[in-house]
Amino acid sequence: MAQLIDGKAVAARVRAEVKAEVEKLKAEHGLVPGLTVVRVGEDPASKIYVTGKKKAAEEVGFNSWELHPDDKISQDELLSLVDKLNKDPAVHGILVQLPLPKHIDAERIISAVSPAKDVDGFHPMNAGMLSVGKPAPRPCTPYGVMRLLREVGCDPSGKRAVVVGRSNIVGKPMALMLLAADATVTVCHRKSNLAAEVANADILVAAVGVPELIKGEWIKPGAVVIDVGMNRMPDGKLKGDVEFDKAKERASFITPVPGGVGPMTIAMLMRNTLEAAKASL
Ligand code: NAP
């Protein structure tokens, strides 16, 4: 029977570490990290995410601001708002909450954020820095997964890691981070033979968005299973991408959904914002 990986507890630890460093930064340099979240329009899920991010930012001692233009804002207006934030020395981190309204090209906006303030780690330059192994803000969700692995004593070096999903925000950066940690990495997608690939995984990361796509019987006995999936079911409950009840009988460690990877994303956003502020000194 697998041990559960308590993402809530690890995330609380990360936030406490950030808070302690913020106090030091204030005392030694008079610097308060600042995070601005831009939320365009009234997407209900975005509202929940942004509220969580603001609350975490205040708790760790950041200055935090939310800008909330309505969904009629033009792309040019949003670009000039981002430009203003890029130039504001009190703002160390800028996060433009996705999704954006259809008339706005999200890639244009992401690329307009200064790479130094891109605390989501989505800017193409920061994606490039990750791929060439140089320091830069890392996408928060896979960054959080790396911390969870460390917390359970799972060193990826020499292990076979299988990442299911190849999105720019989770799957691809996850694969690069595991590769940088010396795992042998396989990335799966719609054309992959999932059962065969998953059966080889010492470390499995599922980031798909299909409830229980990964069957418990595919899991290699003793594998560490990280479920990034957050699928809202008709009864309102959240389900992961892995068939949890069966997978936990084979895995050595497994993340629950909710309470696994989810809380780590915001915690690593705090870490990225702190690092951006320190880099501005
Ligand atoms: P995405 O952009 O939709 O990408 C999904 C990936 O899964 C794609 O690469 C797709 O393959 C692959 N896929 C979809 N159906 C598949 C199938 N039947 N077989 C094999 N591969 C399949 O999703 P995402 O943004 O990466 O998010 C993935 C999941 O993580 C979602 O549930 C999301 O809610 C969750 N998430 C959680 C957090 C968190 O904080 N915990 C953060 C971000 C995302 P193709 O490339 O071939 O289409």
Side-chain angles (χ1 to χ4, degrees), residues 19-276:
K19 187 173 181 183
E21 283 193 55
V22 170
E23 277 159 17
K24 213 166 144 229
L25 208 55
K26 280 182 191 169
E28 289 175 6
H29 301 278
L31 179 67
V32 182
L35 174 67
T36 297
V37 181
V38 182
R39 175 167 72 92
V40 180
E42 289 305 335
D43 181 75
S46 292
K47 189 170 179 190
I48 296 171
Y49 295 145
V50 168
T51 305
K53 288 168 186 176
K54 266 199 78 192
K55 187 166 164 264
E58 280 156 16
E59 277 171 15
V60 298
F62 293 170
N63 286 325
S64 104
W65 303 275
E66 180 186 346
L67 301 181
H68 183 206
D70 71 37
D71 59 5
K72 302 277 180 305
I73 189 169
S74 70
Q75 179 162 298
D76 285 344
E77 284 167 332
L78 188 54
L79 285 169
S80 70
L81 193 141
V82 167
D83 186 49
K84 240 198 231 161
L85 296 172
N86 283 340
K87 290 177 179 142
D88 185 341
V91 176
H92 304 98
I94 303 168
L95 186 151
V96 182
Q97 184 66 45
L98 302 176
L100 290 170
K102 286 197 171 45
H103 66 278
I104 294 177
D105 177 354
E107 278 181 25
R108 277 279 312 270
I109 304 298
I110 290 169
S111 303
V113 173
S114 158
K117 297 189 179 189
D118 166 42
V119 285
D120 253 343
F122 294 167
H123 191 288
M125 186 163 125
N126 290 331
M129 295 294 268
L130 172 60
S131 96
V132 296
K134 296 272 188 262
R138 302 297 194 226
C140 301
T141 301
Y143 195 18
V145 171
M146 294 306 287
R147 174 69 188 251
L148 288 179
L149 292 176
R150 203 174 92 199
E151 291 278 337
V152 299
C154 175
D155 177 0
S157 179
K159 299 204 169 67
R160 284 174 185 266
V162 172
V163 179
V164 188
R166 56 175 166 183
S167 71
N168 289 336
I169 61 170
V170 190
K172 277 184 205 156
M174 184 77 257
L176 287 166
M177 287 181 209
L178 288 163
L179 188 62
D182 294 330
T184 303
V185 183
T186 302
V187 183
C188 298
H189 44 77
R190 282 170 212 272
K191 302 289 180 190
S192 308
N193 179 342
L194 289 186
E197 301 296 349
V198 167
N200 287 324
D202 302 311
I203 299 170
L204 172 71
V205 181
V208 188
V210 179
E212 300 195 328
L213 177 76
I214 313 287
K215 301 302 166 208
E217 67 193 34
W218 300 348
I219 306 290
K220 181 175 173 180
V224 175
V225 175
I226 307 285
D227 192 346
V228 180
M230 292 212 297
N231 307 293
R232 185 74 60 189
M233 305 307 285
D235 64 3
K237 292 200 176 124
L238 278 181
K239 242 196 179 81
D241 292 339
V242 177
E243 197 186 19
F244 180 82
D245 285 343
K246 294 208 176 122
K248 78 175 191 304
E249 284 166 18
R250 297 171 71 90
S252 57
F253 289 95
I254 189 167
T255 55
V257 177
V261 177
M264 293 303 293
T265 300
I266 292 185
M268 300 323 275
L269 174 69
M270 301 302 116
R271 164 58 61 190
N272 277 348
T273 305
L274 171 69
E275 295 304 328

